Amino acid sequence: MMKMKMKLLLFLCGVLWVSADVLHEDLNILGCSDSDGEFMFTLDGEEVWYADFKKGKGVEPQPPFVVHISYPGAYEAALANLQVCRSNLKVCRSAMKDIPDENDAPSNLVIYPRDDVELGEKNILVCHVSGFYPAPVNVSWTRNGQKVTEGTSINVPFPSKDSTFTQISRLQFVPQLGDIYSCTVEHLALEEPQTRTWDVEMDNPQSGPGPAIFCGVGLTIGLLGVAVGTFFLIKGNECS
Ligand SMILES: *[C@@H]1O[C@H](CO)[C@@H](O)[C@H](O)[C@H]1NC(C)=O
């Protein structure tokens, strides 16, 4: 029963404009559940504008060096669209009540630091979750087993071409030797949460034995090739 109540139904309409001679893709995403909603404009796969319904305003997430496109009245339009979406959702629910919901658990979960790790230097840990349906996922973070909420953020669900979603959660952190971080993802299609861990270690073998071994093996194979080639070259000459 509890599960039914928590279930989020997301109704999604995407409108796609593709111009044939100039290859840009402008996507407008509208989605809703009873408690949640999404309205977003993207250009070539980048989030250009989205409505933050919790804060009651539009957000332009692009960095300052990008020319920002403004959408006057967009937040009001987003609110109106959310109402339309919810009433469509109601209709869809009753029309499709005998069809089981389709759920896809996240197919890919990766944790990595945004910048090269320098001890004591501010960095951002990224938890990249993709391949799930419906949206959203919950992402939680720990440092050395303790839950962390400060300095975390998550973007709005981003739809992929295969009609699954991607979400990226970020954690601001300062790498200290030996610290262990984890990100845990919850999704309604997952029976239990999935976790990835990442630890700060400085002795990662950037110039260690790894490349040297590959170089050695490569060189050996190369020399072997030369030897075999020479052998057949001589053999060939003997025959003629
Ligand atoms: C995400 O967290 C909220 C609040 O704790 C909870 O109500 C919801 O069921 C969670 N969603 C999933 C998919 O676990």
Side-chain angles (χ1 to χ4, degrees):
M1 269 333 259
M2 198 54 197
K3 199 151 192 185
M4 287 292 283
K5 235 163 121 194
M6 293 193 316
K7 192 172 253 186
L8 268 181
L9 261 178
L10 204 78
F11 181 78
L12 195 88
C13 313
V15 190
L16 196 65
W17 287 280
V18 185
S19 155
D21 42 346
V22 203
L23 292 172
H24 291 296
E25 207 173 86
D26 180 8
L27 184 66
N28 174 208
I29 298 143
L30 166 64
C32 63
S33 69
D34 293 327
S35 57
D36 215 346
E38 172 169 348
F39 190 79
M40 176 161 65
F41 292 107
T42 74
L43 183 62
D44 297 334
E46 297 277 348
E47 297 173 11
V48 175
W49 187 98
Y50 69 87
D52 186 332
F53 290 116
K54 290 192 180 83
K55 294 200 178 116
K57 62 179 175 113
V59 180
E60 293 173 23
Q62 292 297 315
F65 58 81
V66 174
V67 176
H68 285 223
I69 305 167
S70 67
Y71 294 93
Y75 188 73
E76 290 67 33
L79 276 181
N81 276 306
L82 192 61
Q83 294 313 312
V84 173
C85 180
R86 292 216 170 114
S87 71
N88 284 344
L89 180 60
K90 216 180 266 175
V91 175
C92 289
R93 263 192 191 132
S94 63
M96 297 172 72
K97 67 178 186 302
D98 299 327
I99 302 171
D101 291 337
E102 218 176 286
N103 292 332
D104 288 318
S107 61
N108 204 13
L109 170 57
V110 197
I111 184 172
Y112 59 90
R114 191 189 65 178
D115 302 318
D116 286 345
V117 175
E118 300 280 351
L119 292 185
E121 301 251 320
K122 275 191 190 165
N123 202 330
I124 288 175
L125 212 49
V126 177
C127 190
H128 192 281
V129 197
S130 59
F132 56 89
Y133 182 92
V137 284
N138 285 349
V139 179
S140 53
W141 290 90
T142 68
R143 178 192 298 117
N144 301 327
Q146 303 287 320
K147 212 176 167 81
V148 189
T149 51
E150 212 184 299
T152 65
S153 63
I154 188 160
N155 71 340
V156 289
F158 196 85
S160 313
K161 292 233 159 56
D162 63 358
S163 69
T164 63
F165 289 93
T166 296
Q167 272 184 284
I168 299 163
S169 179
R170 292 178 174 82
L171 170 69
Q172 295 171 6
F173 79 117
V174 177
Q176 305 288 356
L177 202 59
D179 276 356
I180 300 174
Y181 287 87
S182 79
C183 84
T184 297
V185 171
E186 291 177 293
H187 184 260
L188 59 87
L190 281 176
E191 273 173 20
E192 47 190 60
Q194 275 193 16
T195 300
R196 290 286 180 278
T197 57
W198 181 87
D199 54 314
V200 182
E201 51 171 58
M202 273 293 117
D203 53 344
N204 57 18
Q206 223 114 69
S207 54
I213 288 171
F214 280 119
C215 179
V217 171
L219 198 66
T220 310
I221 292 174
L223 288 177
L224 206 65
V226 171
V228 171
T230 312
F231 175 77
F232 280 108
L233 196 71
I234 293 168
K235 270 282 183 212
N237 281 343
E238 275 175 4
C239 287
S240 57

